[in-house]
Amino acid sequence: QVQLVQSGDELKKPGASVKVSCKASGYSFNNYGINWVRQAPGQGLEWMGWISTYNGNRNSAQKFQDRVTMTTDTFTNTAYMELGSLRSDDTAVYYCARDGGWSGYYYYYFMDVWGKGTTVTVSS
Amino acid sequence: QSALTQPRSVSGSPGQSVTISCTGTINDVAYYNYVSWYQQHPGKAPKLMIFDVSMRPSGVPDRFSASKSANTASLTISGLQAEDEADYYCCSYAGRDTWVFGGGTKLTVL
């Protein structure tokens, strides 16, 4: 079945980096982009960034642009999100989510398949 | 890239209807017909309920409907059921491969 399997929970110290993986299965990885979305405890969803698995094009929310790196490995059908210079307010559940991809000449700008989330805790 | 504006909470009794609004700007909700809605139960990943303003993915009950007028999108849930109690988020494409979410609305079924 179509699914995104994320890496395990992480505990990091302030100033460190974290790299979360998101392995896709059950569909053609190259046909759908990957979004990264986070949710701080008790807070709402926050869009972090998007990467095309087809050509590597990417963009991220302004607040993360100098700290986030998104990559993909088309051999293992895995997307990665690395967030650097971690602070305590980066403590959150980090989700990867597949976008709707192409259907003919139409691109679907929604997120229909989500990973279960990776909890990243930043604490000294 | 400011978050879309949603009411913090709404409530309704079983069988009633509720509507959740989502207000954006000319740069997102008003310009693009790419508004989507997500349902999130506690401790779970979000679930896509509506895409392209008003389209329902297969498997989503037709009790869920949505629309858009200018810079405000709306999600209506009719015939409320206990399992509809959850947080709901709107999301809009905002151009140049960026998206923006609303702050979320907690739906309580009384």
Side-chain angles (χ1 to χ4, degrees):
Chain A
Q1 73 277 29
V2 174
Q3 62 178 352
L4 299 172
V5 178
Q6 297 188 222
S7 48
D9 297 345
E10 302 263 14
L11 173 62
K12 294 291 183 181
K13 293 193 183 304
S17 296
V18 67
K19 191 170 186 177
V20 179
S21 68
C22 171
K23 183 172 177 59
S25 62
Y27 71 93
S28 180
F29 184 66
N30 282 3
N31 287 354
Y32 301 83
I34 294 289
N35 285 276
W36 290 93
V37 177
R38 78 177 186 180
Q39 186 170 36
Q43 303 300 308
L45 302 175
E46 181 177 28
W47 181 79
M48 297 182 67
W50 170 88
I51 184 167
S52 165
T53 56
Y54 175 71
N55 59 15
N57 285 352
R58 71 206 74 185
N59 204 354
S60 57
Q62 214 161 0
K63 68 179 287 186
F64 299 111
Q65 278 183 356
D66 58 348
R67 291 201 295 141
V68 72
T69 303
M70 294 173 290
T71 56
T72 62
D73 181 339
T74 55
F75 292 102
T76 61
N77 291 348
T78 303
Y80 298 91
M81 186 282 298
E82 184 170 19
L83 186 63
S85 303
L86 289 169
R87 307 184 287 259
S88 58
D89 62 358
D90 290 318
T91 293
V93 177
Y94 289 77
Y95 293 101
C96 60
R98 186 186 81 165
D99 70 21
W102 287 103
S103 179
Y105 294 104
Y106 193 79
Y107 201 87
Y108 285 101
Y109 294 93
F110 54 68
M111 302 171 207
D112 65 340
V113 180
W114 292 68
K116 290 191 186 316
T118 296
T119 298
V120 175
T121 303
V122 183
S123 174
S124 54
Chain B
Q1 290 167 331
S2 299
L4 309 177
T5 301
Q6 297 181 233
R8 296 200 75 154
S9 64
V10 297
S11 63
S13 299
Q16 288 186 332
S17 296
V18 294
T19 296
I20 300 170
S21 61
C22 168
T23 301
T25 71
I26 185 66
N27 297 314
D28 37 62
V29 174
Y31 191 83
Y32 296 100
N33 287 322
Y34 300 135
V35 177
S36 50
W37 289 87
Y38 301 86
Q39 176 192 66
Q40 187 181 35
H41 287 109
K44 300 293 188 184
K47 175 187 175 184
L48 176 68
M49 303 301 284
I50 296 286
F51 68 94
D52 288 5
V53 175
S54 61
M55 304 299 292
R56 272 179 290 106
S58 61
V60 173
D62 59 7
R63 302 185 294 103
F64 291 84
S65 62
S67 62
K68 187 188 85 166
S69 177
N71 64 329
T72 298
S74 299
L75 173 71
T76 298
I77 309 170
S78 56
L80 270 178
Q81 298 181 4
E83 62 259 36
D84 299 333
E85 185 162 295
D87 294 326
Y88 290 85
Y89 295 89
C90 60
C91 180
S92 177
Y93 182 68
R96 299 192 180 196
D97 302 329
T98 67
W99 280 256
V100 60
F101 280 97
T105 299
K106 181 176 178 59
L107 168 62
T108 301
V109 180
L110 301 170

